[in-house]
Every structure is written in structure tokens, then in C-alpha cells.
Amino acid sequence: MTTVRVNRKAAERIAAGHPWIFSSDVLDRGGAEAGSVVLVVNERNRTLGTAHYSSTSQICLRLLSRRAEDTGREFFLARLRAAENYRRQVVSGTEAYRAVHAEADLLPGLIVDRYGDYLAVQTLDQGMDRARETILDCLREIYAPRGVVLRNDASVRAREDLPLISQVACGEVPGRVAVRINGFLFHADLIKGQKTGVYLDQRENYLAAAAYASGRALDCFTSSGGFALHMAARCESVEAVDSSPETLETARANAAANQTAGIEFREANVFDLLAAYAAARRRFQTVVLDPPAFAKSRAALEPAARGYKEINLRALRLLDTGGVLATCSCSHHLSEAMLLEIVAGAALDAGRTLRVLERRTQARDHPILLTVPETHYLKCLLLQVL
Ligand code: SAH
């Protein structure tokens, strides 16, 4: 195994429980090859762990283990099994869930989403990409899937100098896979759909938000229609909005498959639509805001904060007293405290008083590591207008 030496700052970061080492903190790469497994040592040559090495990314090393360890098939099988055992504890009522959540399952750079008999896999860094065949082999052993899609078109792979591709890796995968989530049928295009087919991280929040929903509801950034479908039974009417026509087509198919009446799907830019509805004095009793990540980097935090404030302010102007706002952010750079502050600012500007019903996060099959803040990316606040 090649040995890579890192500086004190990197050693401290590892001691603080974080698995990443930045290239600026690497002292000697020891001639490591792209995607290889390396031994990481500190300035005094003491072992810090075993890591995947990336030759191009700013995140140069991703720790797999805190000791010198063989990371062959046995290693992957044990980690993947542990991930699946955890899902058995926390996942219920769904055929689709995230089976592996990268760092949070001690498998940095690896995502596995299960859609019933099918798996969608992402190997997002050079190391995981190189270990791909071993990983697929272990996944076949654990899940015996009918088909596996390698959903490797995520833009982060460009930083690793890896090609962006989405293809069937083994078995057969239909154009649309149907899965039950919380009793609702969802269609997922595993090869071309958003994320790996469906946004699985909001599964628990759909139920929580629907429990407070009533009257006329507006589901902004609906994607496959998850919030809308869950709210429909409790509401007089639901309007579901997204700017992507392909996504809306799937959402309409989902509504039809569940024989859900009363959802009106609309293709629009949410920013414009909220402004137009405020001008027209339209009123709602429930509004959901689940925008894409506005802050894709730390540098983008300020404009992102303005964007979040804007949509929350506009949504609050549409809500009746007693109405409920479910507002989300999936930017890991934006902490829950920041989101609370932004929404509080919007509430003050709109002259509304908000009560916190629930402060939620991503579903438990997307676990969070206490010392790795990046794993806590989704925030979902359920608020009531007093
Ligand atoms: N609520 C969804 C996930 C939303 S993801 C779910 O539970 O599945 C964000 C969605 O916002 C995407 O579907 C994207 O197409 C849409 N989107 C992005 N910018 C938009 C805009 N300005 N107006 C409307 N929709 C937008």
C-alpha cells in the first residue's frame, strides 16, 4: 500500500471525527495512483488510517478506516451489511430507500438507493469508482437485485476527472420502476429521473407535513409530487408547481396511479408564481417550499440566503391565519440555525407570527454523522401562522 503523509491540520481534522483531507494538507503523496487505497500517516509517520486517494479533487483523501486495514471484498461486504442492518431498524412502509449514504455509512463517495428489486448506485470519487466491481458483487450477494443502474451522471464526478454516465450495470431495468412509498405508488426513471429517480429523503416529512395540511394547499417545487400526493386526501384542493415538464409528467402519472383527484399540476417558476398569487390576493391554508439547493458552495451562501428569504416571504403573504408552512432547504452549507433566522426575518417582514410545529431533517435512511456536518443536509421546518 502506498503511504501518504499529511500535516498537523489534517491529523487534527481526523482526530475531530471528519473523514476528509484536503490536498493542501498533504505533504507527500508517495506516488499514489488515482483511486488507489493508501495508508495515511502524520508528520511523525504514525498511522492515521486507510483512505481512498483522489488525484484531482480538492478532497484528496477520504478515510475508509481509522487503522491500517485491508479494504477488499470482506471489508465492503461488512460495511454494506451493516448499512442494510441499520435500514432494517429504521425503514418501514416503503419499497424505496437509501441503502447506503456515503460518509454516514462509513463508505465515503458511495450512494446506493434501493427501488424494490432494483438498485441505483453512484460511485462519486475515484476510489469508489475503482472499487465498483467489488461493490456490485457485494450488492448482488446482499440484495439479489433484478437490475442495477450505475447512476454516475452526478456533476461532482467532474471534479474527480471521472466521466458522467448513467447506464445499466447488470440485469435488466425497465424504463420506469414502480415502488410503494408510504402506501403511495411512485414511478421512478432510474436512468434519467431527478437524483436517482425519486427524492427519497423527504419520505418521513411527507407524512409529517400531511398531518397538518388542510384547506387549499400549494406544493412548490413538487418534482414527483410527493408532498402533493400525501396532502391530497386531507385538503380541499392541491396545486403542485415545478419548472420541469418531464418531472411534472411523472408527477401526473403518480397522481393517476394513486387515483388521487384534486391535484392541479402547473409548470411555472415558483418565484414568479408566488409573486403573481400575492398580487392577485390568492389565499392558501397550506404551503410547501422544497426548493433545489440554492447554496451549492459556501461562497454562494449570501445570494442563497436572499433566495430562501424571498420565497418564504412570498409564501407567508399567501397564508391565512392558522395556516401551515412547510419550508425546506437541502443545502448542507446552510445550517438549521441559519434557516430559522432567515424564515424569522421573512416572518417579521411579512408581519406574521410563526409557531414552530416541528424541526425535521432527512429521513433516517439518510443518516447523519455527528462530526460530519455535511451529512446533515436537509432541513424541514413545519410552522404555523398565529
Ligand atoms: N419536493 C420534491 C423535491 C423538490 S427538488 C419531492 O419531494 O420530490 C426541487 C425541484 O424544484 C425540482 O423538481 C426542480 O425541477 C424544481 N425547480 C427548480 N427551480 C425551480 C423554479 N424556479 N421554479 C419551479 N420549480 C423549480
Side-chain angles (χ1 to χ4, degrees):
M1 219 194 295
T2 307
T3 298
V4 175
R5 265 175 78 226
V6 301
N7 68 13
R8 209 168 118 186
K9 197 166 149 211
E12 280 168 2
R13 195 174 162 83
I14 289 178
H18 206 288
W20 297 349
I21 294 169
F22 295 103
S23 55
S24 52
D25 294 329
V26 173
L27 300 173
D28 181 359
R29 296 176 181 233
E33 269 178 46
S36 59
V37 177
V38 300
L39 184 73
V40 185
V41 299
N42 70 8
E43 284 170 328
R44 282 183 273 145
N45 294 320
R46 297 265 300 263
T47 298
L48 298 175
T50 308
H52 271 156
Y53 169 78
S54 168
S55 60
T56 57
S57 170
Q58 274 198 49
I59 305 171
C60 183
L61 298 164
R62 291 175 173 86
L63 220 58
L64 297 166
S65 168
R66 289 177 171 269
R67 55 190 178 84
E69 189 170 353
D70 180 5
T71 57
R73 192 172 188 280
E74 289 303 303
F75 167 86
F76 278 105
L77 201 55
R79 291 272 159 106
L80 293 169
R81 282 223 167 96
E84 182 52 16
N85 287 341
Y86 167 69
R87 278 27 180 217
R88 292 213 181 117
Q89 279 185 298
V90 300
V91 174
S92 62
T94 182
E95 292 171 339
Y97 59 89
R98 176 149 294 186
V100 177
H101 187 49
E103 279 74 6
D105 283 296
L106 309 182
L107 289 166
L110 179 68
I111 301 282
V112 180
D113 285 342
R114 182 174 190 189
Y115 291 86
D117 292 332
Y118 303 93
L119 299 176
V121 176
Q122 299 183 302
T123 50
L124 299 174
D125 69 341
Q126 292 176 358
M128 282 300 171
D129 203 54
R130 206 161 141 166
R132 197 175 56 220
E133 289 309 319
T134 307
I135 293 166
L136 289 175
D137 188 46
C138 297
L139 291 173
R140 278 191 293 262
E141 180 168 333
I142 298 172
Y143 299 96
R146 278 203 195 161
V148 180
V149 173
L150 264 181
R151 199 54 210 270
N152 275 337
D153 53 342
S155 60
V156 289
R157 277 179 49 109
R159 289 184 215 154
E160 302 278 336
D161 216 7
L162 293 168
L164 304 192
I165 36 164
S166 175
Q167 63 190 32
V168 175
C170 56
E172 273 177 31
V173 180
R176 257 188 190 179
V177 172
V179 281
R180 284 223 171 256
I181 301 176
N182 299 335
F184 292 94
L185 207 55
F186 280 76
H187 293 104
D189 181 338
L190 303 196
I191 305 219
K192 293 197 298 287
Q194 292 187 351
K195 281 243 190 154
T196 61
V198 176
Y199 285 86
L200 301 172
D201 48 9
Q202 293 282 23
R203 177 172 47 88
E204 295 172 350
N205 296 332
Y206 292 153
L207 295 170
Y212 299 105
S214 69
R216 284 185 303 279
L218 180 62
D219 177 13
C220 299
F221 311 95
T222 193
S223 189
S224 3
F227 281 104
L229 281 177
H230 283 74
M231 295 193 299
R234 297 186 62 100
C235 295
E236 258 168 56
S237 64
V238 181
E239 225 180 284
V241 186
D242 203 284
S243 57
S244 152
E246 300 84 40
T247 285
L248 283 173
E249 202 185 303
T250 310
R252 283 197 186 95
N254 289 342
N258 292 288
Q259 287 150 350
T260 310
I263 306 179
E264 198 182 321
F265 291 97
R266 198 181 292 285
E267 184 185 330
N269 179 327
V270 164
F271 285 87
D272 300 340
L273 179 115
L274 291 177
Y277 282 7
R281 301 194 179 282
R282 290 274 306 266
R283 308 302 296 169
F284 291 89
Q285 286 72 49
T286 311
V287 177
V288 176
L289 296 174
D290 184 19
F294 289 161
K296 291 231 161 66
S297 66
R298 200 164 288 280
L301 256 181
E302 224 180 273
R306 280 197 297 276
Y308 286 114
K309 180 161 180 193
E310 194 60 42
I311 52 171
N312 279 282
L313 177 63
R314 290 182 189 190
L316 285 169
R317 293 209 166 112
L318 304 179
L319 275 168
D320 276 345
T321 300
V324 169
L325 173 66
T327 186
C328 311
S329 162
C330 57
S331 306
H332 73 75
H333 296 288
L334 193 97
S335 67
E336 190 199 46
M338 284 156 117
L339 183 65
L340 283 163
E341 200 180 309
I342 289 168
V343 181
L348 289 176
D349 287 4
R352 315 304 297 268
T353 302
L354 293 181
R355 166 190 284 156
V356 180
L357 298 170
E358 291 186 36
R359 286 158 49 182
R360 305 183 56 86
T361 180
Q362 65 240 29
R364 281 167 294 169
D365 46 318
H366 298 59
I368 295 168
L369 280 195
L370 208 49
T371 53
V372 188
E374 292 83 357
T375 57
H376 177 198
Y377 68 99
L378 182 63
K379 291 94 197 176
C380 172
L381 307 175
L382 304 183
L383 306 157
Q384 184 169 43
V385 180
L386 297 189

